[in-house]
Amino acid sequence: MSERTKIELCGPLTVEVAGRRIETVLPSRQGRLLFAFLVLHRERPVRRDELVAAIWPEQPPADADGALKTLLSRLRRVLGPGILEGRTELCLRLSPEATVDVETAAAAVAKGRAALAAGDPRGACATARAAADITSRGLLPGLDAEWIEQRRRELADLELEALEIIAAAGTVLGGADLSPALRAARTLAERAPFRESGHHLWMEALAQRGDVAEALHVYERLRQRLRDELGTAPSHELAALHERMLRSDPQPGDMARPSGSPAGPPVDAVGAGRGEEWDLPLPAPLAGACHGPFVG
């Protein structure tokens, strides 16, 4: 029998401890909240008053300490010996090989960003997709508390980072990776409309596909939104990209070639779109992370 410990907090709650599936025997809704809070804070001891506030945020029971003691006792029996330690302060002791999906997602995004910086867009894309697959499931569906909402916001930001990496890596790779890059960039721009990296990558992917006119429309929509809602304008980097597209106005299939260079493979071929025509820097934090079209 497998002795692995695996916890998934995104999507349906799944808890496997030392090879035993136990999510169905966690003690009630309060027990699931208790367990999830301990998992999400397993890097440090947690005080009993923190647990009371996490489980009963609005109106704790009259004997909150007694109710918590009962929940902890039940949780200890479900988890088995040596996992939930402490009395005044509680700490979840999982095996070194244990995996928690939210931690896996955060590590994957960091690994993807490092791979992109190291010139490995394919590795970056793979790890970022793994992270996005986790975060897209939603954290602890069916459970609500302010601390859960805060973690959901953090995971939403993490998913935006994953989409950013997928889009940046895909535009470098081209070929079959260009369509997923375009979808990732568009989703990023729609979810975070004032985050310019999404629009930059969206324009880049569209231009690689040969759809410069639509890339210009993306810029214009952003320009109007920034003006109307924030009273500001696009950054210098994005404006420079827009201006360069306007000046060049390449035809489909020509956009990836520097002026005067011979025709290369079509824009959907692997490696297409790596000419100097659109070699402009990405906005932070992706600037310098990869080398390809639009990337300095």
Side-chain angles (χ1 to χ4, degrees), residues 93-191:
R93 303 291 186 190
L94 302 178
S95 67
E97 299 79 18
T99 61
V100 179
D101 59 352
V102 292
E103 298 172 6
T104 300
V109 167
K111 184 178 178 181
R113 194 168 292 281
L116 200 58
D120 178 18
R122 192 162 301 283
C125 209
T127 54
R129 284 174 180 167
D133 180 62
I134 293 171
T135 57
S136 65
R137 300 171 197 164
L139 178 69
L140 298 170
L143 295 178
D144 292 301
E146 177 53 38
W147 58 271
I148 296 176
E149 288 302 319
Q150 179 181 344
R151 289 293 182 132
R152 284 172 179 159
R153 290 190 290 269
E154 293 171 3
L155 279 180
D157 288 341
L158 193 67
E159 187 169 0
L160 293 180
E161 289 190 57
L163 291 170
E164 199 171 62
I165 295 168
I166 293 167
T171 53
V172 173
L173 292 167
D177 293 284
L178 186 56
S179 289
L182 181 57
R183 289 194 298 271
R186 179 172 183 168
T187 301
L188 174 60
E190 290 173 347
R191 291 187 186 176

Side-chain angles (χ1 to χ4, degrees), residues 32-234:
R32 293 192 294 276
L33 284 169
L34 169 62
F35 177 73
F37 191 87
L38 288 168
V39 171
L40 289 171
H41 296 84
R42 73 186 185 105
E43 77 283 355
R44 64 172 179 86
V46 178
R47 301 188 314 274
R48 296 177 76 94
D49 63 304
E50 289 183 83
L51 293 174
V52 169
I55 300 167
W56 300 285
E58 296 181 1
Q59 187 173 0
D63 184 10
D65 191 64
L68 177 61
K69 183 178 180 181
T70 299
L71 281 176
L72 288 170
S73 178
R74 292 175 180 173
L75 184 58
R76 281 193 172 95
R77 285 199 300 270
V78 169
L79 292 174
I83 295 179
L84 181 55
E85 297 183 349
R87 297 293 173 182
T88 304
E89 293 184 331
L90 288 300
C91 193
L92 204 61
R93 303 291 186 190
L94 302 178
S95 67
E97 299 79 18
T99 61
V100 179
D101 59 352
V102 292
E103 298 172 6
T104 300
V109 167
K111 184 178 178 181
R113 194 168 292 281
L116 200 58
D120 178 18
R122 192 162 301 283
C125 209
T127 54
R129 284 174 180 167
D133 180 62
I134 293 171
T135 57
S136 65
R137 300 171 197 164
L139 178 69
L140 298 170
L143 295 178
D144 292 301
E146 177 53 38
W147 58 271
I148 296 176
E149 288 302 319
Q150 179 181 344
R151 289 293 182 132
R152 284 172 179 159
R153 290 190 290 269
E154 293 171 3
L155 279 180
D157 288 341
L158 193 67
E159 187 169 0
L160 293 180
E161 289 190 57
L163 291 170
E164 199 171 62
I165 295 168
I166 293 167
T171 53
V172 173
L173 292 167
D177 293 284
L178 186 56
S179 289
L182 181 57
R183 289 194 298 271
R186 179 172 183 168
T187 301
L188 174 60
E190 290 173 347
R191 291 187 186 176
F194 300 117
R195 185 170 177 153
E196 283 200 359
S197 61
H199 297 275
H200 191 293
L201 290 163
W202 191 4
M203 291 171 66
E204 178 182 343
L206 284 167
Q208 272 209 66
R209 196 178 66 177
D211 199 349
V212 177
E214 181 57 29
L216 295 173
H217 278 299
V218 168
Y219 177 87
E220 183 59 21
R221 289 193 294 269
L222 174 64
R223 187 191 67 78
Q224 292 179 8
R225 186 166 193 168
L226 289 173
R227 179 197 64 195
D228 295 344
E229 298 186 28
L230 299 181
T232 187

